[in-house]
Amino acid sequence: MPVAGAGASHIPSPASSSSGSPGSPGSSGAPAPSGPSPSGGGPGRRSWWGWGTEDKALSDAECVALGALVPGAADTPLPVPAVADLDLPKVRVEPPAALAPVMSAEPWDRASHTYGKAYRDVMRALHGDLAAAPDQVARPRTEQEVADVLDWAAGADVAVVPYGAGSSVAGGVEYRAGLHRGVVSLDLSALDRVLEIDRVSRAARIQAGALGPGLEAQLRPHGLTLRHFPQSFEFSTLGGWLATRAGGHYATVYTHVDDLVESMRVVTPVGVSESRRLPGSGAGPSPDRLFLGSEGTLGVISEAWMRLQERPRHKASATVLFDDVHAAMEAVRAVSQAGLHPANCRLLDPGEAALSGVARDGASVLVLGVESARVPVDGRLAELLALARDHGGVPAATRSGAPDAAAEAWRSAFLRMPYVRDALARMSVLTETFETACTWDRAPELYASVRERLAGAVREVTGSEPTITCRFTHVYPDGPAPYFTVVAPGRRGRETAMWDEIKAASMEILHDHGATVTHHHAVGRDHRPGYDRQRPELFAQALRAVKHTLDPAGILNPGVLVDPADTAASGA
């Protein structure tokens, strides 16, 4: 095990308590660590079929009201099946007696671990299609039990699919290979503690199953924060963030979890890999980089030393309105290249601004925010606003004469949006989101192409005019990360097939413009076609060889990043 540096403290395991909402991303408050298995009833129970918790899902009446805003939507919402009524496949494998205490084949556990939270996952669950359900759900309580599960599975021809917290929107937690005798979903929610804090080096050793709110709750008494707040913060784990190279809420600097990693410990089917704690190193290729983004195909991340920051005490925000979306893009480019490093720099095009309820007059909206743990930030915000004005932007407070409430309105809509997506899905409305990144010189053309070409593809698939919106979620000196949302009516019973066609069309557009297949949603299985075209073939060959070395039986998340058959072929 890694040894803490000078000033390190060992953190006692706090008593389990119920989970709660994290509030707005970046807020100083966070609820206590999550409790045991969420399969019990009561407030805050996770939804087995959709996003978040059951008590926050929109009602039937709210679904109908939303559907009325989309011409061609169904008149009534799809009912949510009761778990007791699901036709789950027969359990094919039973664990050995030694592992029985950490295994479950209960219907709720199997159903809730079948899919992630992509649109196609939600639709199949609503239609009662649980054919991909795992045979067992494993919740190991120690790292040794993780190793024991992998050892048994390798000898029994059982696939192991690391689950994280199940918030994948890229098919990352669904078994599709069809080559194994059985399937186990590996849930590390019992490994959710901050084990040590090195206050001098400002780092912490954290177990991989820690959910965002619980992680922050354990750091808060020390005045520290990981400062990683993805939209899925409440329903995703440290291990999931690392395995998918997650992007956080902050738009610039240290937004990717990659930059927060000091060292990692990973359990593979052939042994444990542990890197050394270092602030930086030029000693060959980084072992951490091998497992970051590996999506559970090379090993199971059990814990990591993560770089921390002091909690911010000074904050300021403002929104700026633009009549021309291209002028707004130029303003964002100027901001990203100015070295001012705003915490928030979200550009909403007119459609996204209207969808979020931030502006309905055709304006594009730039949401700016700055923060610091040490010094006031009003001067830095003033510099950012000056740059925006240079490109034709008008601060919202100046235009309206009223206090600027747009940032808070956008934040509330941002956190609520996944629940709205599920409500629209129940009305058979297609709601696809995809995100990417490209260099600044390609951004205007990519934006125009998505709006034109994808709109044509959606019209061909659905026969209806779609709504297509865009926001920049992250910005870099050399390019933005555009995030597109597509809304169109589907046909009941064919929603998944129609979504697949639209997804394929969006991937083709990204490829044609040299944009990445994903900026922060990972590859999973849904993005594999685009990922295969993006990566160099020599790298693909090397990845297959690594997969065979670390997972010779090919049991870990088969079909993610490399095909199951490729693993065997690489060792031939």
Side-chain angles (χ1 to χ4, degrees):
M1 288 291 190
V3 178
S9 59
H10 293 262
I11 310 302
S13 296
S16 296
S17 59
S18 60
S19 61
S21 170
S24 61
S27 64
S28 59
S34 58
S37 168
S39 58
R45 185 173 81 160
R46 288 289 301 272
S47 170
W48 74 266
W49 64 273
W51 185 261
T53 58
E54 293 177 346
D55 57 312
K56 292 181 182 178
L58 276 64
S59 66
D60 286 1
E62 289 173 310
C63 291
V64 171
L66 275 175
L69 302 177
V70 183
D75 296 326
T76 58
L78 284 164
V80 177
V83 171
D85 296 333
L86 295 173
D87 184 19
L88 292 168
K90 182 180 177 181
V91 174
R92 297 168 295 176
V93 293
E94 296 290 344
L99 290 176
V102 300
M103 294 281 194
S104 171
E106 290 298 314
W108 195 95
D109 286 328
R110 296 179 66 204
S112 64
H113 286 73
T114 301
Y115 300 128
K117 304 304 179 187
Y119 179 84
R120 73 191 317 270
D121 301 334
V122 169
M123 287 310 311
R124 287 179 294 168
L126 286 172
H127 284 295
D129 176 9
L130 276 294
D135 298 281
Q136 302 282 341
V137 174
R139 290 189 177 91
R141 299 157 299 188
T142 65
E143 183 185 272
Q144 183 58 54
E145 289 180 343
V146 174
D148 292 343
V149 169
L150 298 187
D151 185 58
W152 165 69
D157 188 29
V158 172
V160 177
V161 179
Y163 183 72
S167 60
S168 169
V169 291
V173 298
E174 175 195 347
Y175 178 79
R176 298 180 191 172
L179 300 175
H180 297 80
R181 193 168 67 86
V183 180
V184 168
S185 177
L186 186 64
D187 184 329
L188 298 192
S189 56
L191 300 175
D192 64 350
R193 305 303 180 201
V194 175
L195 299 174
E196 298 179 55
I197 290 181
D198 177 350
R199 194 65 176 81
V200 173
S201 305
R202 215 166 60 179
R205 180 164 68 97
I206 308 171
Q207 291 180 309
L211 290 165
L215 187 160
E216 286 294 324
Q218 294 176 77
L219 295 177
R220 191 191 321 124
H222 302 270
L224 298 170
T225 174
L226 183 60
R227 198 182 177 270
H228 186 74
F229 299 96
Q231 188 177 24
S232 62
F233 172 76
E234 189 177 0
F235 307 110
S236 54
T237 65
L238 173 64
W241 301 341
L242 297 170
T244 60
R245 298 182 64 196
H249 169 75
Y250 294 95
T252 66
V253 183
Y254 300 135
T255 185
H256 281 281
V257 77
D258 312 34
D259 299 319
L260 307 178
V261 176
E262 195 175 61
S263 72
M264 292 169 57
R265 188 171 170 89
V266 185
V267 182
T268 80
V270 295
V272 175
S273 172
E274 182 178 2
S275 59
R276 180 177 297 182
R277 284 187 65 200
L278 292 168
S281 174
S286 164
D288 292 334
R289 293 282 171 178
L290 176 65
F291 294 106
L292 286 166
S294 60
E295 301 191 29
T297 62
L298 304 180
V300 178
I301 299 166
S302 61
E303 62 182 56
W305 275 94
M306 303 298 295
R307 299 182 176 100
L308 306 178
Q309 300 181 52
E310 295 183 24
R311 303 191 79 85
R313 295 187 295 117
H314 304 277
K315 296 182 180 182
S317 63
T319 52
V320 185
L321 307 179
F322 293 84
D323 292 326
D324 182 349
V325 67
H326 294 290
M329 289 184 187
E330 282 298 300
V332 174
R333 181 173 70 85
V335 166
S336 69
Q337 295 175 348
L340 295 171
H341 307 310
N344 200 1
C345 186
R346 292 288 201 283
L347 175 61
L348 318 179
D349 80 351
E352 185 73 18
L355 191 66
S356 302
V358 175
R360 302 187 186 279
D361 59 357
S364 296
V365 177
L366 175 59
V367 183
L368 291 169
V370 287
E371 64 178 39
S372 171
R374 294 289 183 179
V375 298
V377 294
D378 291 340
R380 189 147 48 105
L381 181 62
E383 291 184 73
L384 292 167
L385 289 174
L387 281 173
R389 287 192 189 97
D390 289 344
H391 291 82
V394 178
T398 301
R399 178 178 288 191
S400 66
D404 185 354
E408 186 57 39
W410 171 80
R411 185 178 292 112
S412 297
F414 174 76
L415 293 172
R416 188 64 172 158
M417 191 56 68
Y419 293 99
V420 172
R421 188 282 308 266
D422 286 357
L424 289 172
R426 292 188 62 197
M427 301 303 295
S428 296
V429 174
L430 304 174
T431 54
E432 157 67 339
T433 61
F434 63 97
E435 38 71 53
T436 185
C438 64
T439 51
W440 281 113
D441 60 315
R442 297 178 178 179
E445 186 179 352
L446 173 65
Y447 175 76
S449 183
V450 169
R451 290 178 56 81
E452 294 170 11
R453 286 179 57 186
L454 190 58
V458 175
R459 282 193 293 269
E460 184 175 340
V461 171
T462 68
S464 302
E465 192 67 30
T467 295
I468 300 179
T469 70
C470 178
R471 66 178 184 267
F472 287 0
T473 61
H474 304 79
V475 293
Y476 306 89
D478 51 345
Y483 189 115
F484 295 95
T485 298
V486 184
V487 180
R491 288 193 290 279
R492 183 146 290 178
R494 292 204 68 247
E495 301 96 337
T496 301
M498 297 171 81
W499 182 89
D500 286 345
E501 292 186 56
I502 294 170
K503 168 66 82 173
S506 67
M507 294 297 100
E508 196 65 32
I509 295 169
L510 296 181
H511 175 76
D512 289 348
H513 287 273
T516 181
V517 69
T518 179
H519 174 262
H520 57 269
H521 279 175
V523 176
R525 293 164 178 83
D526 295 342
H527 294 155
R528 266 297 303 281
Y531 174 65
D532 288 351
R533 297 169 75 179
Q534 177 177 325
R535 66 184 177 187
E537 178 52 31
L538 278 177
F539 176 79
Q541 293 177 24
L543 184 59
R544 295 182 192 114
V546 171
K547 169 72 170 173
H548 178 74
T549 298
L550 297 178
D551 180 22
I555 61 166
L556 280 173
N557 219 2
V560 170
L561 300 186
V562 297
D563 291 337
D566 289 342
T567 304
S570 65

